[in-house]
Amino acid sequence: MSAQPDSAKESFLVTGGVRLTGEIPVSGAKNSVLKLMAVALMAEGRTTLTNCPDISDVPAMADVLRHLGCTVEITGDTVVIDTPAQVGHVADDKAAQRLRASVCILGPLVARHRRAVLAMPGGDAIGSRPLDWHQNGLSLLGATTRMDHGRLVAEADELRGAHYKLKFPSVGATETFVTAAVLAKGTSVLENAAREPEIVDICELLSEMGAQISGAGTSTITVEGVDELRPVSHRVIGDRIVAATWAYGAAMTRGDVTVRGIDPMFLHVVLEYLHSVGADVETGPDHIRVRQDRRPTARNVRTLPFPGFPTDLQPMAIALAAVSDGLSVVTENLFESRFRFVEEMVRMGVDAETDGHHAKIRGRDRLDSATVWASDIRAGAGLVLAGMCADDVTEVCEIFHVDRGYPDFVQNVRSLGGVIERVPTYR
Ligand code: UD1
């Protein structure tokens, strides 16, 4: 894998006015692979994951696991994690704080070792992202949790099956509860569980390893505890957010893009929305095709847990609204700080204002090129798409964010005919 280590000081130069056309494959989902890597902690021996994306969060997660005693090899799209009989339970502070997804070692460590110490994880600056529901779930299963000098400490003598109803279908809290419940004694039931495809992928891996789980992908997940798990090989599901980013690129540039390696059911609501703005949408068993031949029509969007419109595509929805005909209102229901990038879009002449969790965007036919800063992975990708609809060359700075979630970003944009360069940031 070859993610760029110096990308904090690099920028993308994006030339506007080019239609995106062609075919593009997507690799495995970031929000699946990082969790699957953590699940490997739960079984002694070699767990093999294939279809892994070449993104910088994968080696970052590998470092978290190595500090716990695992051997991790990354070769092409395959990650092999060899977990010893005894792993450590204290996550390395620096390694864990480099990525938000390090929180997903919490459930696996408590499940297998009854103890975990984890510095509060880092990741995107999109909101406060507390861990109270993770802690509540672990407490119900019999663990005690506390904060100690900025680290979350969880300990249990034994884990017993429990009934937990989440206030909101949190992806992370669902994963923590389910992974811990897999090695608890007795039956656990999680109500109002997250239904994201990545949750189903994690439950499939756990089931292949010997866990007894039913209801993954529905709001109620039931887990019968087992004594131990065995290591297996597993293929990571395709990345629906990356796939949809290229679909948005097609709709915004009046292009024609086919994305392969993605189950269209993961994007049902998103594709309906693209259809409603005027795109022709075609789907097959593992591909989507989006064509747009006229200016998109403005439509309102509100983000919701799956199967609703994903918050991770909210920047793409705003970028599309910025070039649509009419007024769009985009409502963000998950993360309170997720509109930070809107002021960057305003530098590009986007006519937008935010008020609490609403953004109002009045579309323009063409945007202005400008220098803008990415504040998180998806905001960075949204700014690049906006740059493709600007009059000249847009510079998107701090692209290390984009490298955390998009494999081979420049090569992929170019393969669709986009004009983009990665350059050192001179400022
Ligand atoms: C995951 C994804 C992220 C996606 C999000 C929602 C990963 C690595 N990240 O994040 O890309 O945007 O799902 O689809 O998979 N909450 C609490 N207390 C908790 C847990 C969550 O209040 O203990 C709140 C959060 O602040 C947020 C909401 O619940 O407002 C949803 O968060 P959650 O679904 O847990 O997101 P993540 O798992 O962090």
Side-chain angles (χ1 to χ4, degrees), residues 56-112:
S56 59
D57 267 11
V58 167
M61 190 64 182
D63 273 349
V64 173
L65 299 183
R66 285 189 190 110
H67 277 104
L68 293 169
C70 299
T71 305
V72 187
E73 283 166 29
I74 304 173
T75 317
D77 77 347
T78 301
V79 176
V80 179
I81 300 142
D82 200 342
T83 302
Q86 281 301 319
V87 292
H89 68 280
V90 183
D92 179 75
D93 283 357
K94 280 208 177 100
Q97 279 171 330
R98 273 172 63 202
L99 79 166
R100 167 78 202 172
S102 57
V103 71
C104 62
I105 65 173
L106 189 59
L109 282 181
V110 174
R112 181 139 179 253

Side-chain angles (χ1 to χ4, degrees), residues 30-32 34-35 100-101 103 124 126-135 168-173 175 194 196 240 304-306 310-312 333-336 338 378:
K30 162 186 169 286
N31 286 352
S32 222
L34 303 173
K35 325 301 178 64
R100 167 78 202 172
V103 71
D124 292 337
I126 58 176
S128 60
R129 305 185 86 170
L131 296 178
D132 50 338
W133 301 336
H134 299 247
Q135 292 177 258
F168 182 89
S170 151
V171 171
E175 290 159 359
E196 270 69 3
R240 63 196 165 102
L304 287 170
F306 190 85
T311 174
D312 287 354
N333 287 314
L334 277 88
F335 293 111
E336 73 267 22
R338 205 156 205 176
R378 312 302 170 189

Side-chain angles (χ1 to χ4, degrees), residues 137-373:
L138 291 176
S139 303
L140 288 167
L141 290 165
T144 56
T145 67
R146 63 191 152 86
M147 289 306 298
D148 183 10
H149 297 87
R151 298 187 188 95
L152 178 63
V153 180
E155 286 164 321
D157 290 331
E158 100 173 331
L159 295 174
R160 298 172 307 275
H163 195 127
Y164 183 24
K165 184 168 182 177
L166 277 168
K167 283 191 195 145
F168 182 89
S170 151
V171 171
T174 297
E175 290 159 359
T176 296
F177 185 80
V178 169
T179 47
V182 158
L183 293 178
K185 282 198 179 4
T187 308
S188 298
V189 178
L190 181 65
E191 281 187 76
N192 204 19
R195 291 181 277 164
E196 270 69 3
E198 294 78 19
I199 297 281
V200 177
D201 202 23
I202 292 155
C203 289
E204 275 176 8
L205 171 63
L206 285 163
S207 300
E208 289 153 12
M209 293 166 84
Q212 301 285 322
I213 303 174
S214 59
T218 75
S219 296
T220 306
I221 300 180
T222 304
V223 182
E224 296 291 342
V226 296
D227 289 339
E228 61 175 0
L229 300 179
R230 55 180 180 275
V232 295
S233 292
H234 179 88
R235 182 179 167 84
V236 184
I237 57 163
D239 196 314
R240 63 196 165 102
I241 306 300
V242 173
T245 301
W246 307 132
Y248 265 82
M252 288 177 62
T253 63
R254 297 175 213 183
D256 181 355
V257 172
T258 300
V259 187
R260 301 214 172 264
I262 190 71
D263 180 341
M265 286 312 294
F266 295 175
L267 289 168
H268 185 70
V269 166
V270 174
L271 295 176
E272 269 186 352
Y273 167 78
L274 287 174
H275 179 66
S276 79
V277 305
D280 282 331
V281 176
E282 182 192 299
T283 60
D286 83 333
H287 81 268
I288 59 172
R289 179 177 181 187
V290 173
R291 274 176 294 178
Q292 178 99 19
D293 55 14
R294 58 182 188 278
R295 192 167 169 204
T297 312
R299 290 275 181 266
N300 296 342
V301 175
R302 49 192 195 119
T303 64
L304 287 170
F306 190 85
F309 191 94
T311 174
D312 287 354
L313 291 176
Q314 183 252 95
M316 309 350 154
I318 291 192
L320 184 128
V323 292
S324 295
D325 189 10
L327 175 75
S328 310
V329 178
V330 175
T331 304
E332 171 56 55
N333 287 314
L334 277 88
F335 293 111
E336 73 267 22
S337 307
R338 205 156 205 176
F339 284 142
R340 277 177 49 185
F341 68 95
V342 173
E343 58 195 67
E344 300 302 310
M345 289 205 176
V346 169
R347 291 178 203 269
M348 302 179 68
V350 172
D351 183 357
E353 57 191 77
T354 58
D355 178 12
H357 63 134
H358 301 292
K360 271 192 207 163
I361 309 104
R362 211 172 284 282
R364 289 180 48 188
D365 198 24
R366 200 110 209 103
L367 305 179
D368 304 333
S369 53
T371 298
V372 291
W373 278 261

